[in-house]
Amino acid sequence: MLVTISQIVIGTADLAAAFLFLFGLQRMSSPATAPSGIRVAGLGMVAAVLASFFYLASVSPAAQPHVMVNLALALVALAIGGAGAWFVGRRVAMTAMPQMVAIYNGMGGGAAGSIAAVELFGGHTQGATQLVVTLLGGLIGAISLSGSVIAWAKLDGVLKVPLRVRGQQYVNGAVFLAAIAVAGLVVASVLGVDGLLLTTPQWIWVFFACALLFGVLMTLPIGGADMPVVISIYNAFTGLAVGLEGFVLQNPALMIAGMVVGAAGLLLTVIMAKAMNRSIANVLFTNFGTVAKARPGAITGTERPTDASDAAIKMRYAGKVIIVPGYGLAAAHAQQKLFEFVKLLVAAKVMVRFAIHPVAGRMPGQMDVLLAEAGVPYDMIFQLDDINDDFASTDVALVIGANDVVNPAARSDKASPIYGMPILNADKAAQVYVIKRGQGKGYSGIVNALFYAPNCNMVYGDAQAVLVQMIEAIRGLGAAAA
Amino acid sequence: MSFAIIMTGFVALYIFVLAGFAGWVIIGNVPAILHTPLMSGSNFVHGIVVVGGLYALFNAVTPQEQTIGFFAVLLGAGNAAGGYAVTDRMLAMFKSSDAKPAHHRASVHTIKKG
């Protein structure tokens, strides 16, 4: 009776969770409904977690004597893991979001891998299909765990340079094949084949060691600029691992949630790779992502500097202004100042919009979050496809902390490393101002033809200091008029 | 009547295919402006793995299984709680022009005075 009740409770709660996850994600289709979406999904999660305590009613006979200990362990783990991550998640800076997402990803992958390990060590799997699926989920989960830790270290600046050695791809390939081969040995061992050198538990250890090592080796050579793609891939991996372990545990909620996330991660990976003009294989296996060779001499002319106040006044009397922010804006902590400046322009009846490149920031959409944090309303923020045609009819384009994403060489110069990448057509505006630290090259080391264009002026200086000058220039105007 | 859920190969594949398709379609509708919260939000969704971790831990027999099961729950709970915390925080920041939070309204006010 108790078993039946617990099955009904768990079944109902998990069904509700699966539905609420999908419904919650569906509500993310607009910034207006998105906050309620995550709350709806959160409700589903709470229901599923609470219901899972009903599993205690039907534990296997072997685990019966340990029920109280296991329950205590579960409560402690929930409290520490939940409270710790909640505490950090509430406080982390928005600029640190990519590494947070990476670490939560790794945690999910680690949890899926651990479930696989418990099932394998405990010999709970029934039949070859379950065994193979468990191993596959464990493999993907473990890769996601160790790979995400490396991604976190790179994004957080703990690991600064990509580690590359000659022939690394062959080593990686060999380790991956070894993991697959050992998985085969685990299957053989569990199914009762003798004479395999090691015992079943030992092979399971070797299997997880290979999987973890592969995750590390696969991520180490990938450069910092490519990390967004990597996070998104591990997001998909973890989802897949969770889905597969869901099958092993016969839990459809895990299967549905895992697959939805797997699909989401895959889609985001494709979108990111497209925005960077690269194939996914190219990101993973060719070690771009760092510094491309600068090609001096291809561009004639000089950069023309101008004063911050002149640029500000020009914008104050312009009809339409588009601002192109890049990660340099966030690095200078100048988002707040920028929005203050924008509010002054808006008050003077200038039409101001923000144009966001898909790879602005260090993960997809991060620039949007940073602007929202500064108070910029989302209806002022436009994505590349929606605004790119409007530059031609715009009076002033203001580029702050962005470089490659406005480099016209991507459209015209076949020899440029970024040729073919979609860019924001800032150069088509009547007047372009670029706020830049100095005359040096940008993050990628590629010369930017825009800076030498006849309609472009440079405003040198720290973004925050320049914006303060711009704000003062416009306030000065107001005072003079009054 | 039994309420135990039993899924064999093909049923599982049906669920995988339909869920994957639903995910692809739903996620495809999310605008680029929300891609970071989307990523952390989908991150949160795979935190459901904590349920599997609880199941594995409740059925653990040996100290080894208990230890690994403990980590499964610990990591899964961290994934779910952390994913929710950051997603909720980010989404709360997105405001439209009509609805500005109090402290921004205050700063606009001072500008008008100047």
Side-chain angles (χ1 to χ4, degrees):
Chain A
M1 186 61 198
L2 187 59
V3 173
T4 309
I5 292 174
S6 71
Q7 282 171 350
I8 294 175
V9 172
I10 294 170
T12 313
D14 285 2
L15 181 64
F19 170 75
L20 292 174
F21 287 160
L22 288 171
F23 184 62
L25 287 173
Q26 158 71 25
R27 290 193 67 79
M28 283 214 182
S29 54
S30 148
T33 54
S36 67
I38 185 69
R39 268 173 232 134
V40 163
L43 211 64
M45 185 71 77
V46 171
V49 170
L50 289 180
S52 60
F53 282 91
F54 278 87
Y55 279 132
L56 287 168
S58 56
V59 293
S60 64
Q64 286 290 0
H66 307 286
V67 156
M68 289 323 284
V69 179
N70 289 347
L71 174 61
L73 284 173
L75 291 174
V76 171
L78 277 177
I80 299 178
W86 182 271
F87 184 82
V88 176
R90 280 278 143 198
R91 268 154 198 82
V92 64
M94 284 299 140
T95 42
M97 207 44 76
Q99 50 266 50
M100 278 331 281
V101 171
I103 207 72
Y104 294 143
N105 246 337
M107 288 172 120
S114 302
I115 292 170
V118 173
E119 297 299 302
L120 291 169
F121 282 123
H124 300 308
T125 54
Q126 289 155 354
T129 313
Q130 274 210 0
L131 187 58
V132 171
V133 175
T134 309
L135 284 163
L136 189 60
L139 174 73
I140 299 171
I143 292 173
S144 182
L145 169 64
S146 60
S148 294
V149 170
I150 300 296
W152 167 81
K154 281 178 180 256
L155 288 162
D156 206 51
V158 180
L159 261 180
K160 289 214 171 58
V161 267
L163 292 175
R164 285 161 199 171
V165 281
R166 197 175 281 272
Q168 189 156 21
Q169 287 175 37
Y170 300 103
V171 177
N172 291 4
V175 173
F176 183 72
L177 289 178
I180 300 288
V182 175
L185 287 169
V186 172
V187 174
S189 184
V190 170
L191 295 181
V193 178
D194 287 328
L196 296 171
L197 269 94
L198 301 175
T199 60
T200 308
Q202 284 170 328
W203 279 122
I204 297 173
W205 281 119
V206 175
F207 165 70
F208 278 107
C210 287
L212 289 170
L213 180 64
F214 179 72
V216 172
L217 292 178
M218 179 177 147
T219 321
L220 274 178
I222 302 173
D226 283 344
M227 275 304 137
V229 183
V230 174
I231 308 175
S232 174
I233 287 174
Y234 285 139
N235 203 16
F237 274 20
T238 299
L240 200 59
V242 171
L244 292 173
E245 295 310 327
F247 169 70
V248 175
L249 300 179
Q250 295 281 293
N251 184 323
L254 259 71
M255 293 168 65
I256 293 172
M259 269 305 140
V260 167
V261 177
L266 184 64
L267 181 61
L268 280 175
T269 309
V270 171
I271 292 173
M272 279 305 290
K274 206 179 275 176
M276 296 167 86
N277 196 29
R278 317 256 311 276
S279 71
I280 296 165
N282 182 264
V283 170
L284 290 181
F285 305 119
T286 56
N287 307 340
F288 174 106
T290 43
V291 179
K293 277 273 185 308
R295 298 175 315 112
I299 292 158
T300 51
T302 50
E303 300 184 3
R304 280 171 306 283
T306 188
D307 282 343
S309 52
D310 291 351
I313 289 162
K314 172 99 180 170
M315 280 184 266
R316 159 69 180 74
Y317 291 105
K320 289 184 190 169
V321 171
I322 297 180
I323 298 174
V324 181
Y327 193 72
L329 177 73
H333 303 288
Q335 307 96 292
Q336 249 85 15
K337 285 281 167 236
L338 176 61
F339 185 47
E340 212 180 315
F341 175 64
V342 167
K343 279 189 286 192
L344 288 174
L345 294 182
V346 171
K349 304 271 184 279
V350 182
M351 181 189 177
V352 186
R353 287 176 294 174
F354 289 84
I356 310 290
H357 191 274
V359 296
R362 295 184 310 155
M363 70 185 282
Q366 195 192 5
M367 204 63 232
D368 306 274
V369 173
L370 292 168
L371 290 177
E373 187 189 21
V376 178
Y378 59 75
D379 37 54
M380 281 174 91
I381 303 173
F382 292 80
Q383 308 301 317
L384 186 137
D385 290 336
D386 302 322
I387 201 168
N388 228 5
D389 295 335
D390 292 2
F391 277 105
S393 59
T394 293
D395 303 307
V396 180
L398 175 66
V399 179
I400 308 179
N403 191 339
D404 291 340
V405 298
V406 290
N407 191 344
R411 281 197 310 257
S412 54
D413 182 1
K414 285 203 170 78
S416 173
I418 58 167
Y419 177 73
M421 181 173 99
I423 60 153
L424 285 162
N425 297 330
D427 58 319
K428 302 247 167 102
Q431 167 71 49
V432 184
Y433 291 114
V434 179
I435 301 179
K436 204 162 165 295
R437 278 196 154 276
Q439 279 182 312
K441 292 183 188 70
Y443 187 63
S444 68
I446 303 166
V447 176
N448 193 335
L450 171 68
F451 301 165
Y452 301 89
N455 61 339
C456 177
N457 288 99
M458 311 295 291
V459 183
Y460 293 119
D462 170 69
Q464 198 169 148
V466 168
L467 284 164
V468 168
Q469 285 175 42
M470 287 183 163
I471 291 166
E472 279 166 5
I474 290 189
R475 291 222 171 112
L477 276 182
Chain B
M1 185 175 179
S2 168
F3 290 91
I5 296 174
I6 298 155
M7 289 171 294
T8 47
F10 270 108
V11 179
L13 283 176
Y14 276 108
I15 293 178
F16 278 147
V17 169
L18 292 174
F21 187 74
W24 184 273
V25 171
I26 291 173
I27 303 304
N29 277 330
V30 178
I33 188 172
L34 290 179
H35 274 174
T36 294
L38 168 67
M39 215 185 248
S40 67
S42 60
N43 219 317
F44 158 74
V45 167
H46 66 51
I48 188 72
V49 71
V50 68
V51 168
L54 285 167
Y55 176 84
L57 177 54
F58 289 155
N59 286 289
V61 179
T62 63
Q64 185 190 29
E65 287 172 46
Q66 286 175 321
T67 311
I68 303 173
F70 177 81
F71 278 106
V73 176
L74 185 81
L75 293 172
N79 180 181
Y84 183 88
V86 297
T87 310
D88 185 50
R89 248 181 89 199
M90 280 192 277
L91 289 176
M93 289 172 184
F94 285 89
K95 307 276 183 214
S96 75
S97 296
D98 325 316
K100 280 179 189 161
H103 64 279
H104 289 121
R105 208 179 290 140
S107 61
V108 170
H109 197 65
T110 32
I111 292 165
K112 271 180 189 157
K113 256 191 272 175

